């Protein structure tokens, strides 16, 4: 049973054309994350939502934005994709304050910029 | 700051060989430690975890022991299979899975 679902699995967008990636969860976790993973690299945290509170990482470009309309859904908006934004984008969820748990990841969306 | 260092790959083994992937960490507190696995074109799957010193995480024949004195969490498997070919990420979090920090990943190839 899929618990963190990302759509689409593959997305092709044009240089400079806004694109939105989506993520939904059935775990009712209060924290949702977006990671960027470039080829052969570690996933890099872009930002997270703790309930409705948005938390940006210091080095995340302004080109990346996020929305969380409710507990279950979270979106990643790339306002003007550049060639360097081609990557796998991973959505994850977790609870907070519980030591005996972990982050749950979706299958990722692979973004190609042409 | 908090960080994870793991051995560079790729690691190439024959089927039934013994596997070790080294992982060390730096953390300001007492982190939880994880190994995630990523198959080609897929997201990350939790392989095992340990939440305190001397805990051993295990799953699917893989094991790792949380060593506080050496700040290590090395992944081992006694007999690898072709189906174990994947990228393995060591990771830490200071509170469960909150803001997980990943190592660079180690690609494993297992030959039949």
């Amino acid at each position: 049973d899929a618990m963190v679902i990302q759509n689409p699995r593959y997305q092709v967008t044009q240089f400079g054309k806004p694109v939105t990636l989506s993520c939904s969860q059935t775990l009712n976790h209060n924290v949702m994350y977006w990671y960027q993973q470039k080829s052969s690299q570690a996933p890099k945290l872009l930002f997270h939502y703790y309930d409705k509170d948005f938390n940006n990482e210091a080095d995340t470009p302004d080109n990346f934005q996020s929305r969380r309309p409710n507990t279950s859904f979270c979106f990643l908006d790339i306002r003007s994709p550049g060639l360097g934004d081609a990557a796998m984008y991973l959505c994850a969820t977790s609870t907070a304050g519980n030591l005996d748990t972990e982050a749950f990841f979706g299958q990722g969306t692979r973004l190609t910029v042409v | 700051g908090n960080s994870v260092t793991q051995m560079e790959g790729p690691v190439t083994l024959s089927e039934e060989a013994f596997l070790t992937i080294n992982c060390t960490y730096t953390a300001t507190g007492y982190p939880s430690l994880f190994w995630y696995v990523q198959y080609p074109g897929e997201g990350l799957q939790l392989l095992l975890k340990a939440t305190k010193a001397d805990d051993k995480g295990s799953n699917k024949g893989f094991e790792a022991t949380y060593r506080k004195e050496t700040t290590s969490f090395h992944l081992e498997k006694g007999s690898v299979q072709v189906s174990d070919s994947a990228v393995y990420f060591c990771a830490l979090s200071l509170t469960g899975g909150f803001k997980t920090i990943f190592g660079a990943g180690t690609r494993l190839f297992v030959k039949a």
Side-chain angles (χ1 to χ4, degrees), chain A residues 11-20 78 81-83 111-114:
Chain A
Q11 176 74 56
V12 180
T13 191
Q14 291 181 336
F15 183 95
K17 183 176 180 180
V19 64
T20 295
I78 308 177
L83 297 179
L111 178 68
T112 300
V113 182
V114 298

Side-chain angles (χ1 to χ4, degrees), chain A residues 46-97:
Chain A
L46 295 174
F47 28 60
H48 74 274
Y49 269 96
Y50 192 128
D51 294 322
K52 294 183 180 180
D53 293 332
F54 177 72
N55 298 271
N56 205 25
E57 294 300 301
D59 56 355
T60 298
D62 292 340
N63 199 25
F64 291 87
Q65 302 289 324
S66 186
R67 296 171 283 134
R68 189 179 186 186
N70 54 51
T71 301
S72 300
F73 286 87
C74 194
F75 301 98
L76 170 62
D77 300 310
I78 308 177
R79 293 193 297 189
S80 181
L83 297 179
D85 296 328
M88 173 81 90
Y89 290 88
L90 298 167
C91 175
T93 73
S94 75
T95 58

Side-chain angles (χ1 to χ4, degrees), chain B residues 8-12 106-109:
Chain B
E8 289 188 21
V11 174
T12 302
T106 302
R107 184 174 296 275
L108 171 66
F109 292 104

Side-chain angles (χ1 to χ4, degrees), chain B residues 83-105:
Chain B
S83 57
D84 294 326
S85 298
V87 180
Y88 292 81
F89 290 94
C90 186
L92 69 81
S93 170
L94 289 182
T95 310
F98 187 65
K99 293 188 70 173
T100 305
I101 297 168
F102 292 89

Side-chain angles (χ1 to χ4, degrees), chain A residues 17-37:
Chain A
K17 183 176 180 180
V19 64
T20 295
L21 310 182
S22 72
C23 177
S24 64
Q25 58 141 334
T26 60
L27 297 164
N28 204 34
H29 284 169
N30 56 344
V31 191
M32 293 187 77
Y33 310 84
W34 281 103
Y35 285 83
Q36 179 192 63
Q37 186 184 23

Side-chain angles (χ1 to χ4, degrees), chain B residues 46-105:
Chain B
L46 179 71
L47 182 60
L48 54 83
K49 68 182 182 184
T51 58
K52 61 184 185 297
D54 300 326
D55 270 2
K56 177 185 281 188
S58 61
N59 186 26
K60 300 180 181 179
F62 291 90
E63 294 183 338
T65 300
Y66 190 141
R67 301 287 188 200
K68 185 180 172 186
E69 63 276 11
T70 54
T71 62
S72 65
F73 193 56
H74 305 320
L75 182 68
E76 296 182 335
K77 187 176 186 183
S79 176
V80 294
Q81 306 300 313
V82 173
S83 57
D84 294 326
S85 298
V87 180
Y88 292 81
F89 290 94
C90 186
L92 69 81
S93 170
L94 289 182
T95 310
F98 187 65
K99 293 188 70 173
T100 305
I101 297 168
F102 292 89

